[in-house]
Amino acid sequence: MSVQERKERERAGRERLIVATARELAEQQGWDAVTTRRLAERIEYSQPVLYSHFRGKREIIGAVALEGAAEMAALLRTAARAADGPRARVTALAGAYLDFAERNPAVYDAMFQLDGGLAFAQADTPEPLKDAFAALLECLGEVAGDGVHPGLFTEVFWAALHGLATLTRAGRLPPGDAERRTELLVDRLAML
């Protein structure tokens, strides 16, 4: 291994450590607790080392969002593949999405609530974000219905899932009806 390859591997390792530490701290204490000073203390590097990887908290949030999008895409595909038939696939997809949001609130916030400097629905949208949407589209496109654009249907279904995830987490919906809400979404919106 060349010196350059070793340095690149070490740099990538530091970046993974910074992102993992930011994610852990955000999940434990919220994003307000994530500062470059606290990250530097936790990973035992100086703040200038952090700034050599990320220009600031916004870029760190973006990195966490991209990591989360990749994880979500994999979970959605796994859930959909494990189900048999369109209704079961859409139900499994919805459940996996809502479960991800519940189990990873700080990551979900990084993906959809906070400014991570990432472009959505544009030509320069990062690949992990495109892939997370594609994971939804792969399953939902088959149930969009005649004359309905699959991408548009997927956006509306995703918006409904996001609304359920956000309102549930905020305590705005009664806690006992989560499964019934998912069934209603699948039955009425996907008409399955």
Side-chain angles (χ1 to χ4, degrees):
M1 173 184 303
S2 73
V3 172
Q4 183 63 29
E5 289 172 329
R6 183 182 51 77
K7 285 183 179 183
E8 288 174 14
R9 189 179 70 203
E10 288 171 357
R11 180 174 178 76
R14 279 192 306 271
E15 283 187 14
R16 283 191 303 275
L17 178 61
I18 293 166
V19 171
T21 304
R23 182 175 175 167
E24 178 184 314
L25 186 57
E27 291 292 2
Q28 291 171 352
Q29 299 177 30
W31 278 104
D32 287 342
V34 179
T35 64
T36 54
R37 179 179 299 201
R38 287 184 92 182
L39 286 174
E41 288 171 3
R42 283 208 174 189
I43 65 171
E44 299 177 347
Y45 282 103
S46 67
Q47 282 183 284
V49 170
L50 260 71
Y51 285 117
S52 74
H53 292 274
F54 299 98
R55 284 182 277 183
K57 183 175 176 177
R58 182 178 185 219
E59 283 190 4
I60 294 169
I61 290 169
V64 169
L66 294 176
E67 185 176 272
E71 289 173 17
M72 178 185 274
L75 288 170
L76 295 176
R77 286 187 174 104
T78 298
R81 275 195 295 266
D84 188 30
R87 185 181 200 295
R89 277 192 292 278
V90 173
T91 300
L93 177 96
Y97 183 98
L98 295 171
D99 187 57
F100 179 87
E102 181 183 344
R103 291 180 187 266
N104 304 282
V107 174
Y108 192 82
D109 283 350
M111 292 168 65
F112 300 119
Q113 303 290 101
L114 301 174
D115 179 9
L118 304 173
F120 281 81
Q122 297 178 21
D124 61 341
T125 298
E127 199 55 44
L129 298 178
K130 289 179 184 178
D131 190 49
F133 184 78
L136 290 167
L137 180 62
E138 289 162 10
C139 182
L140 295 170
E142 72 176 309
V143 299
D146 294 336
V148 178
H149 187 278
L152 186 60
F153 178 79
T154 300
E155 290 171 353
V156 171
F157 199 93
W158 171 32
L161 287 173
H162 176 68
L164 287 173
T166 303
L167 292 170
T168 298
R169 189 164 138 211
R172 303 292 197 265
L173 298 174
D177 295 324
E179 190 174 314
R180 288 181 37 210
R181 283 187 199 96
T182 302
E183 288 175 10
L184 184 61
L185 179 64
V186 172
D187 289 344
R188 302 298 177 164
L189 190 57
M191 296 191 295
L192 293 172

